Amino acid sequence: MTGKWKKIAITLIAAAFVLAGCGGGKSDNSGKQAEEEFVVPTDPVTLKFYVNVVRLTDVEYQSIFIDPLKKKYPHITLQKLEGDLGQLVAGGDIPDLIMSDSDWHMPLRELDLPSDLTDLAKKMKIDINKFRPELIQAVRNLNPNGGLEGIPFDMNTGVLFYNKDIFDKFGVPYPKDDMTWYDVLDLSKRLTRQADGIQYIGWDPRFPDHLLSPYSQPFVDPKTNKALIDTPLYRKVLEIFAQVYAQPGYVNGSKYTYGPDGFTTTHIQAMQADWVAKILSDIIGQEAKGNTMNWDMVTDPRFEDTLKKGRHALPEILVIPKGSKHKEQAMQVIEMMTSKEQQIMLTQNGRLTALNDVEVMKQFGAAFPSLKGKNLEAVYKYAPSPSPTPHIADKKVQEIIRAMRKEMAINKKDINTVLREAQEKADKAIAELMAQ
């Protein structure tokens, strides 16, 4: 550990000793009394709210945050910030509350934003034990000391969506639960074809790291600070991608990616394996515009050695930055969002609850008639796999991994070359970041 990351670690350790010292000398009884007497001021306050990468439509923002907040905490108003988060922070415009997910947490740490919410959650009587344990563990993985730098309010998991009309058009049997990626590839080869002047695409595999998710392999080896790219697992994945790109008609000029719009909007793509909440949000949004589709879903495909394993645990979390002057009010928003009443509403509207509550889980999609009769059991059929160990360079390495697709599809490089070059580029990027 070097540069500013060493300074951050020292600061965290020093803060831990200060907190421990502040707690000394107090009796258990006085602590309980202070906890019971704590009341959040009800003076009108405006909280700056930032959505970090994750998807939140204007309709969802209004229905999930604004309307419930007016009813429960009318003294709190949310002001949604727009623009680049780094530039906002550099200009002194610090959010009071950030909506993000565990996969996108490291860039927040790079900006030294997240505060540890362990003590504040206890103070505000938020029961951490009510959440799914794998989600809490995923959040604790984000902090070197196991702190709680965010509170989960929903989660995501993977499934394979498919367009029934395209399967019917070409007389191909529908996908089933528990398929392998090779099964999906075989279906794709039968569906990637031209008909009526339209080039149909059987399946867009999206990103190499998606297929590796159940293995819980990190982007960076935490012991060596070297990228984990030129590995047998990524070689196996790229062999699948090579066969996808070899399908006649799949690579068209400079175009080699189609999803998710090819599936949700233009309906030229037969299958899309992706995060549930993201694709459902797109499908429901298109239905609202009258652009409907005859679709269903099955469990996310796997390689043979990870069958019946879910994608890695991916909680969407609410983060309170260190610089917020309204942490207690921000925690009230979190308390509202994680209440059983609010979790039922979220789940009915197509989001997956963060609560370890079967009664809430059973409400999934109940508010949308278009989900009636769908294979909703695929969503909760398998528990998430453990989240991989995070690293501050994760997003830089992920970008390099995803760029391998173009090197294969357009630049026609072989797998050995692509893996070697990506490994070298990633190792250099990690070293430069760690030296800052």
Side-chain angles (χ1 to χ4, degrees), residues 41-189:
T42 56
D43 299 325
V45 63
T46 297
L47 302 181
K48 296 178 181 179
F49 178 69
Y50 187 83
V51 180
N52 182 47
V53 181
V54 296
R55 190 163 304 190
L56 183 70
T57 66
D58 291 339
V59 172
E60 288 176 319
Y61 177 53
Q62 186 69 35
S63 62
I64 291 174
F65 286 96
I66 301 301
D67 292 343
L69 200 55
K70 284 181 180 179
K71 293 180 181 179
K72 187 159 188 177
Y73 295 118
H75 62 287
I76 299 177
T77 301
L78 290 186
Q79 174 194 350
K80 192 175 180 184
L81 298 180
E82 304 287 352
D84 180 78
L85 182 57
Q87 293 179 4
L88 291 172
V89 171
D93 207 1
I94 308 296
D96 295 293
L97 190 64
I98 298 175
M99 176 181 168
S100 188
D101 68 26
S102 56
D103 277 2
W104 281 94
H105 192 75
M106 287 299 105
L108 300 183
R109 296 202 97 230
E110 191 172 351
L111 294 170
D112 195 25
L113 285 174
S115 58
D116 188 341
L117 303 179
T118 302
D119 291 338
L120 187 56
K122 183 177 180 181
K123 189 177 182 181
M124 302 282 288
K125 299 182 179 179
I126 293 180
D127 181 13
I128 300 303
N129 292 322
K130 71 180 180 178
F131 299 102
R132 296 184 61 156
E134 63 268 29
L135 302 186
I136 293 298
Q137 187 57 52
V139 175
R140 293 198 185 281
N141 284 348
L142 303 172
N143 180 288
N145 300 315
L148 205 63
E149 294 188 356
I151 304 292
F153 72 96
D154 70 12
M155 60 168 283
N156 227 329
T157 190
V159 298
L160 177 72
F161 293 88
Y162 64 95
N163 184 325
K164 287 185 172 182
D165 288 341
I166 297 179
F167 279 84
D168 292 343
K169 182 179 184 68
F170 298 120
V172 178
Y174 296 153
K176 300 177 181 178
D177 283 350
D178 302 320
M179 292 195 308
T180 68
W181 292 117
Y182 303 107
D183 295 329
V184 176
L185 181 61
D186 288 341
L187 290 175
S188 180
K189 290 176 179 178

Side-chain angles (χ1 to χ4, degrees), residues 179-418:
M179 292 195 308
T180 68
W181 292 117
Y182 303 107
D183 295 329
V184 176
L185 181 61
D186 288 341
L187 290 175
S188 180
K189 290 176 179 178
R190 300 170 65 182
L191 295 163
T192 301
R193 59 168 82 175
Q194 276 203 354
D196 305 321
I198 299 172
Q199 176 63 58
Y200 288 94
I201 301 298
W203 166 54
D204 181 348
R206 296 285 281 153
F207 305 118
D209 48 294
H210 279 194
L211 277 65
L212 251 65
S213 180
Y215 290 99
S216 302
Q217 175 177 292
F219 290 114
V220 181
D221 187 327
K223 295 181 180 179
T224 64
N225 286 323
K226 298 292 185 181
L228 293 170
I229 297 178
D230 195 354
T231 65
L233 283 180
Y234 271 113
R235 183 176 300 276
K236 179 164 64 172
V237 168
L238 293 192
E239 287 171 354
I240 293 277
F241 275 68
Q243 293 188 64
V244 169
Y245 298 145
Q247 296 172 97
Y250 191 95
V251 178
N252 186 5
S254 61
K255 188 169 181 59
Y256 63 95
T257 63
Y258 299 89
D261 287 348
F263 182 80
T264 60
T265 305
T266 61
H267 303 164
I268 64 167
Q269 184 180 329
M271 296 176 287
Q272 179 71 61
D274 217 319
W275 295 113
V276 171
K278 179 172 72 175
I279 300 302
L280 271 185
S281 177
D282 286 353
I283 291 174
I284 291 169
Q286 289 298 317
E287 287 179 348
K289 298 176 183 178
N291 186 18
T292 60
M293 175 174 54
N294 184 20
W295 63 275
D296 208 336
M297 56 183 161
V298 295
T299 55
D300 211 31
R302 295 286 174 261
F303 288 110
E304 292 88 342
D305 55 351
T306 55
L307 287 174
K308 301 187 178 181
K309 288 185 177 181
R311 288 188 69 169
H312 70 276
L314 182 65
E316 289 197 319
I317 58 178
L318 292 169
V319 177
I320 301 178
K322 297 175 182 177
S324 171
K325 297 179 180 178
H326 307 291
K327 290 184 174 67
E328 290 84 3
Q329 290 88 344
M331 188 60 89
Q332 283 186 312
V333 178
I334 293 176
E335 178 269 321
M336 178 198 75
M337 291 296 293
T338 59
S339 67
K340 185 168 182 176
E341 176 185 7
Q342 184 75 353
Q343 287 288 299
I344 289 175
M345 186 273 282
L346 290 173
T347 304
Q348 289 177 338
N349 283 274
R351 288 179 175 263
L352 279 67
T353 182
L355 300 183
N356 193 22
D357 190 323
V358 175
E359 180 183 345
V360 179
M361 294 179 190
K362 289 180 178 179
Q363 298 288 324
F364 180 70
F368 291 106
S370 59
L371 293 182
K372 187 176 182 180
K374 306 298 184 190
N375 181 24
L376 301 182
E377 291 79 8
V379 173
Y380 287 114
K381 189 169 184 179
Y382 300 121
S385 297
S387 293
T389 303
H391 191 280
I392 202 69
D394 278 352
K395 285 303 169 184
K396 294 185 183 299
V397 175
Q398 185 186 59
E399 182 180 348
I400 293 168
I401 288 171
R402 295 181 174 185
M404 294 191 298
R405 300 174 300 159
K406 183 178 180 180
E407 296 301 315
M408 293 178 62
I410 304 301
N411 297 332
K412 307 300 182 183
K413 293 183 180 180
D414 63 85
I415 293 175
N416 289 335
T417 301
V418 168

